[in-house]
Amino acid sequence: MIRYHIARTRIDAPAGKAPEEAWILTNDQNEIIRISALAERWFGYRNADLKDKPLKMMMASSMDCPQPLQADIPDRKPAAVTFRNAEGNFFTGMLSQERLHDLPSEAPVPAVEAAPAKPAPLTDVFAQMKGLGGWQLNLKTQQVQMSEGASDIFDLPVNSQPSAEHMLYFFSDRQQRLSAMVRRALDKGVAFELEVPIITQTQESRWVRVNGQPQLKDGKVTGLSGTILDITPFRQQSEESSYLTECLISILEGSQDLIIALDNAYNVIYCNQAYIEEFKTLFGLPIKRGDHLPGLLKKHTNERLIYMRLWERAFEKESFNVEMPLAQQEGELPVWRIQFTRINGRHGDCMGAALIAKRLSDDANPQETFNYLARHDPLTGLFNRKEFTNRLNRCIEQAHQRHSEHSFLYMDLDNYQSINESYGDKFGDQLLKQLGLMIRGKIRQRDALARIGGDAFGAILENCGGAEALKVAFTVRDTIAAYHTKPNANNVEVSVSIGLVPITADTLPTAGEDKSVADVLLEIGHNTCYAAKALGKSRVNCYQPKVENRANELTEYRRAIDLIQDILMDASQLCIDYQQIRPIHSAAWGDHFEILTRLEDTAAGRIQPEHFLPIAEKFDLATELDRKIIDTVFAWLAAHPQQAHRRKLCSINLTLSSLLDTKLSSFIENRLQHHKLPAELFCFEFDESAVTRDMYHSLEQFNRIKQLGCKLAVDKVGTAGSHFAYLNLLPASFIKISGQMISAIHKDKVAMILVESLHKIAEATGKQTIACDVENHTSLSTIRQMGLHFGQGMGIAPPKSLSTLLDG
């Protein structure tokens, strides 16, 4: 029989304290017979769990630790060993062994069996744990044994054992409650826990959490023990927090400002008395905590829609302000400056939002009311034309001094006059308020928005130009186009035409004899917007300063515009050719080709893309034209399945407008399903200049199209003068190197180095290269030596009519 001794020094043990020692008794085969009480606590096993189990199950293996159990441990010579407890955690101890020769392996060991081991002293469990202690009630002597931590809580000497009656005095007015819980624990064997105040031996007030656990034997209570925890700091913090909460609520209730907070589900979590009274005045309804705000406003459609948009925006943004009446009703209502603030959780997640409204048009402050009305439109609450002009002048000054880039949107509602005449001024006014709020929700807080005419709005997008400003314009246009209202049960659709004017030092116009630069910009915005209206309404027209001074601009473009609009109605004048894209190093079975689009003009013949695509983009026709081309190509391929088995990949080049179109992927998916074509058959190409203009939106669009199963390509790479790190970000399958660089490689060393570098970048990022405009055998031979993957151009295959694909 072998008894193993385990000595362990705890990290939290006081200096100079001897190591704790436990033991394990085994037979000669190292099968466990019994372990000590301390070993039970260390390893988390009971004796019954370990009977006849091998000793090694309590040791770390060689795979767990470099110090496993040694095969032979000399008697009484300790060795460092790593142990594993029942929860799989490890600890290190000194292991030694002692062979018991006097007793047979089957005989009990007197040292173990003579009497139950004494329970470990409380100091083993609670040693040096400040604010936490253990206690034990001796039922025979009625004395309470306490650990050092428990003695400290009551300010009693260490190792003191007061009587149970004496201990009750420390619990002041809670004596009866504690006494009743103790009696119940002794009578019925029920554990207890409570939080109570105490008065210590030194007359100090504290809060403690006491729990007690009966000790049972044969169904009878033989003792009572438990823990005590000093919770004074937590209790004080809770009381202070409650006090501060009460003070804060008192302050909010006393405020004349309107205050309400909602959770993410639009449920009221707080509203002060001022808001309750104002809400009842406006809507005749009470409001209280727990109410669902959209449900309360169910019968007030306009207000519900407005508030839903504002609160939705509040959940997304940190903070923003609006100035408006609280309801859309007849008569003069006061105007409020309303601040929305998002409420964030501990981890930054949105928990809800709060609204604080301060009344502006207050009779008690006529000067403030005058100042407000001098800057704002009385109907919509937006800036008026005068204030908008002031802000426009500020942007013009910044463009001159800092060379910053801004944009100006001139927005005019389509058919507003006929809507107003059909449904009355009241409906027209409400429509203007609603649309003003919708536009406000689609631009940033710092951007100025004004009503600058009867049904015209203006917006200044600060430090926002190019593709980003164009995207904002499209968003506003699409938002208003999606809005429907039903006066007198009639469905009314609303649209807006937008003129976009850049504000930069290079593009600013000069002032006239009696006009400021801001006045000239407003005129340009008006003319640009009405040029959009002339093209069919619900359009975005971008002002081009370099060509805008041509008096005959619309006349020059009219034929192309008319032709594009005719094609959008009927694709019969759309000519579609294709050009093969072939591997350079070997022949490959199957057709990989790019779609080439031309317009057929009866007077001028075929019009090439470089002559009509810029016009389409300028007058907001490019997106619809791209969609018409996609649908036409899809329809042709679906209608001619004879050579479908040969079609490997069909590439379609799209414009910047389509790159910014968030609904493009949905349209492609819809058309693929309609024509029953596989997504992997198609590759969509975008020019490098368009992609690098706005990488964030380019990456979003590429990912959306890739998720459909289509491939993507970046065209004309090397012409935008951009660094090529962006190629690593885009999930494109192909890089199409510009024809200018391919044409120059055999005579320009720099071009050759650039092409070689692009090819290496492509291969490093998992993409394939396509050389464009390969015009002759010399260029083909050079790119073949460089290792490029594919080629396209007259030297490989000329463009052909799409119908020749049927020749197979």
Side-chain angles (χ1 to χ4, degrees), residues 415-436:
N415 297 329
Y416 174 76
Q417 192 62 36
S418 61
I419 293 174
N420 202 42
E421 292 174 355
S422 300
Y423 301 103
D425 293 340
K426 177 182 175 181
F427 174 78
D429 290 348
Q430 289 181 343
L431 182 62
L432 289 176
K433 294 178 186 179
Q434 176 68 18
L435 296 180

Side-chain angles (χ1 to χ4, degrees), residues 674-692:
H674 175 78
H675 294 294
K676 299 179 181 180
L677 294 171
E680 59 271 17
L681 174 61
F682 297 97
C683 176
F684 293 96
E685 303 178 6
F686 296 95
D687 287 1
E688 181 189 59
S689 58
V691 170
T692 56

